[in-house]
């Protein structure tokens, strides 16, 4: 079960994840003030986020950050930001999961672009950040599904990013640590 109150405290981090896992189109998201405002002292995953920030900060020009992003996510089949792809590839089960995620977003008022797939990690992070889900009685069940998909997809992604020695490894590692801190203890022990 997900601790929604705790997750709500970290909503701003999911805006950061969404922006930093999308194709970088402007340098303004690589702003120290944005980083500091997002990640408070003592926050789960903070050391990983700092490692990401230090490594991505070495790319001082937008075109170099874009090149790093393309090399990481566009040319590596196993470094996919589509969270159900590693498990299901293009099977019928993946189509069913994509449909479930799309319905979940629509329940909370998010209408997706027809060209987007619902398991795209930046979209999932944007949903956590932007949707009004805290007081909704459907959220416990909905977020259990969402967390399961993200956890499974990022597990495979993390392994690939580590092999590539990618700065994005640290961002995904920190996100997983942050999300794990929002899972109630009794579920963690049963796994």
């Amino acid at each position: 079960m997900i601790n929604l109150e705790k997750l709500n405290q970290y909503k701003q981090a999911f805006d950061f994840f969404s922006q930093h896992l999308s194709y970088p189109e402007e340098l303004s998201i690589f702003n120290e003030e944005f980083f500091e405002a997002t990640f408070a002292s003592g926050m789960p995953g903070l050391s990983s986020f700092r490692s990401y920030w230090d490594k991505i900060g070495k790319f001082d020009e937008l075109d170099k950050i874009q090149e790093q992003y393309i090399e990481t996510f566009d040319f590596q089949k196993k470094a996919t930001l589509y969270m159900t792809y590693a498990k299901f590839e293009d099977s019928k089960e993946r189509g069913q999961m994509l449909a479930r995620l799309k319905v979940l977003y629509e329940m909370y008022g998010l209408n997706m672009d027809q060209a987007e797939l619902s398991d795209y990690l930046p979209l999932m992070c944007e949903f956590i950040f932007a949707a009004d889900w805290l007081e909704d009685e459907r959220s416990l069940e909905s977020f259990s599904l969402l967390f399961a998909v993200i956890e499974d997809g990022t597990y495979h992604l993390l392994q690939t990013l580590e092999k590539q020695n990618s700065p994005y490894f640290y961002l995904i590692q920190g996100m997983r640590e942050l999300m794990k801190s929002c899972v109630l203890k009794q579920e963690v022990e049963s796994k």
Side-chain angles (χ1 to χ4, degrees):
M1 189 177 319
I2 310 303
N3 182 335
L4 296 174
E5 294 283 340
K6 191 169 189 180
L7 179 62
N8 190 57
Q9 294 173 4
Y10 301 138
K11 273 182 104 168
Q12 187 66 41
F14 287 89
D15 182 35
F16 185 93
F17 303 150
S18 178
Q19 290 187 45
H20 282 257
L21 290 169
S22 297
Y23 180 76
E25 295 188 25
E26 55 187 53
L27 271 175
S28 64
I29 66 166
F30 298 94
N31 176 310
E32 184 74 28
E33 291 171 8
F34 181 38
F35 179 85
E36 293 298 331
T38 301
F39 300 109
S41 178
M43 187 176 200
L46 183 60
S47 64
S48 295
F49 300 133
R50 287 217 178 277
S51 293
Y52 163 74
W53 193 251
D54 291 343
K55 291 182 182 306
I56 205 73
K58 291 180 179 164
F59 302 102
D60 56 353
E61 297 175 12
L62 182 60
D63 60 336
K64 291 180 180 174
I65 296 171
Q66 290 170 333
E67 184 178 315
Q68 176 68 41
Y69 183 92
I70 290 168
E71 286 177 16
T72 302
F73 298 116
D74 292 350
F75 294 139
Q76 305 293 325
K77 183 178 179 181
K78 291 187 176 192
T80 182
L81 291 171
Y82 295 94
M83 296 292 94
T84 61
Y85 186 80
K87 185 173 184 178
F88 298 119
E89 292 191 357
D90 290 325
S91 70
K92 178 181 174 183
E93 290 84 5
R94 181 172 185 224
Q96 292 170 340
M97 184 59 71
L98 292 172
R100 287 179 69 190
L101 289 168
K102 184 176 182 191
V103 167
L104 185 152
Y105 300 150
E106 289 172 348
M107 284 185 342
Y108 294 91
L110 176 66
N111 294 316
M112 292 176 39
D113 183 317
Q114 293 291 58
E116 287 185 308
L117 295 178
S118 57
D119 67 340
Y120 185 53
L121 185 56
L123 174 68
M124 299 173 95
C125 292
E126 181 182 341
F127 168 74
I128 294 171
F129 168 69
D132 186 18
W133 44 261
L134 183 59
E135 301 297 326
D136 193 307
E137 62 189 31
R138 303 168 294 184
S139 293
L140 282 176
E141 183 177 338
S142 298
F143 276 76
S144 291
L145 171 66
L146 192 67
F147 266 50
V149 171
I150 293 173
E151 196 281 329
D152 193 46
T154 58
Y155 173 79
H156 298 286
L157 177 59
L158 190 67
Q159 291 177 328
T160 301
L161 295 175
E162 184 175 32
K163 288 175 188 169
Q164 293 177 359
N165 196 25
S166 170
Y168 292 98
F169 166 82
Y170 299 99
L171 185 62
I172 298 299
Q173 181 181 51
M175 181 188 341
R176 288 174 56 87
E177 291 171 29
L178 182 72
M179 291 179 72
K180 185 176 180 179
S181 78
C182 296
V183 175
L184 295 175
K185 192 168 177 73
Q186 65 216 40
E187 267 201 18
V188 173
E189 290 174 354
S190 69
K191 290 188 177 179

